[in-house]
Amino acid sequence: MLFRAPGKRLYAITPDLADTDLLLEQCSAALNAGIGALQYRNKTASAELRRIQARDLNALCLDFGTPLIINDDWQLAKEIGAAGAHLGRDDGSLVAGRRAFDGVLGVSCYNQLDAALEAEQAGADYVAFGSFFKSDVKPDAIEAKLDLLEQAQQRLSIPVIAIGGITLANAARVRAAGADAVAVISGVFAQRDIGAAVMAFNKLLD
C-alpha cells in the first residue's frame, strides 16, 4: 500500500517555483534518491503554469515509477493522467472526486480524527494530519498533537501522513507516534543536497 513500504515513507511536496526547469531539476534529484510519492503544489502559479508544470512532472514521475499527486485539484490530476490528488478543506467534495476520479485521493484532516474517519468512509486512500511543528510554509497552520497519530492508527485502516514543520530533527518523533509517512517541503527542497536529504529521511523513517 502507498506509503507503507520500506523506502517509501517520504512524501515530498514541491516548493512554489515559477522556474519549471529548476523545479524539474530539484524533483529529479528527489526522485532519484527514492521517495514514496511527489505532490505538486504551487500556490503562486497561474492555472496555465500549473498545467504545464504538472504535465512535465507527471512525465518525470512516470519515468521513475513514482506516483504524482496534484494538490487541490483532482480535475487537473485526471486531465494529465496523474496518479492522484490531495484535497484540502476548500477543495471540493471528496465524494464527488471519488465518483469522477479513480486515482489516489488523499485528504487533509488537520487535527480532526472525526474528519479522517469520515474521509475513509467516503473513499479516501490516505489522510494527512498537521501541523505538528512550526512551519515556515504555513506559519498560521492549525496545530496538531502527536497523540492524534496513535489514535488514528487505532481507528483507521488507510495510511496516516504527518505534515507541518517536519525535519530530520523531529521526523522520528512523528514516525514513533504512528505516522506511516511524513510530508516534507523545506526539509527536502530547501536543502543544498536534495538527494542526500531524501536518503537521510529514508534511513530515519525505516
Side-chain angles (χ1 to χ4, degrees), residues 70 72-74 85-89 91-94 97 105-108:
I70 304 298
D72 295 345
D73 193 342
W74 63 260
H86 183 89
L87 304 180
R89 179 167 36 204
D91 297 330
S93 165
L94 170 62
L105 283 178
V107 180
S108 291

Side-chain angles (χ1 to χ4, degrees), residues 63-84:
D63 286 343
F64 281 94
T66 301
L68 177 68
I69 309 297
I70 304 298
N71 182 257
D72 295 345
D73 193 342
W74 63 260
Q75 291 95 338
L76 177 57
K78 183 176 181 178
E79 176 188 332
I80 67 167

Side-chain angles (χ1 to χ4, degrees), residues 2 17 29 173 204:
L2 189 65
L17 285 177
R173 293 175 60 192
L204 190 67

Side-chain angles (χ1 to χ4, degrees), residues 132-205:
F132 288 97
F133 308 101
K134 288 185 178 180
S135 168
D136 292 335
V137 176
K138 285 189 174 183
D140 299 321
I142 295 168
E143 181 182 357
K145 302 296 185 182
L146 285 174
D147 61 1
L148 175 61
L149 295 168
E150 181 179 359
Q151 296 170 33
Q153 282 293 352
Q154 293 172 351
R155 303 285 300 277
L156 296 165
S157 62
I158 56 178
V160 173
I161 313 299
I163 191 170
I166 296 175
T167 67
L168 288 169
N170 58 36
R173 293 175 60 192
V174 292
R175 179 78 175 106
D180 291 298
V182 300
V184 178
I185 303 176
S186 299
V188 169
F189 291 108
Q191 306 310 303
R192 180 173 297 179
D193 189 331
I194 290 171
V198 168
M199 289 186 282
F201 269 110
N202 285 341
K203 182 178 180 180
L204 190 67
L205 295 171

Side-chain angles (χ1 to χ4, degrees), residues 4 10 45 48 55 58 60 70 73 85 122 124 127 145 161 168:
R4 285 181 172 164
L10 180 60
E48 182 58 26
R55 284 176 174 162
N58 194 48
L60 183 64
I70 304 298
D73 193 342
V127 294
K145 302 296 185 182
I161 313 299
L168 288 169

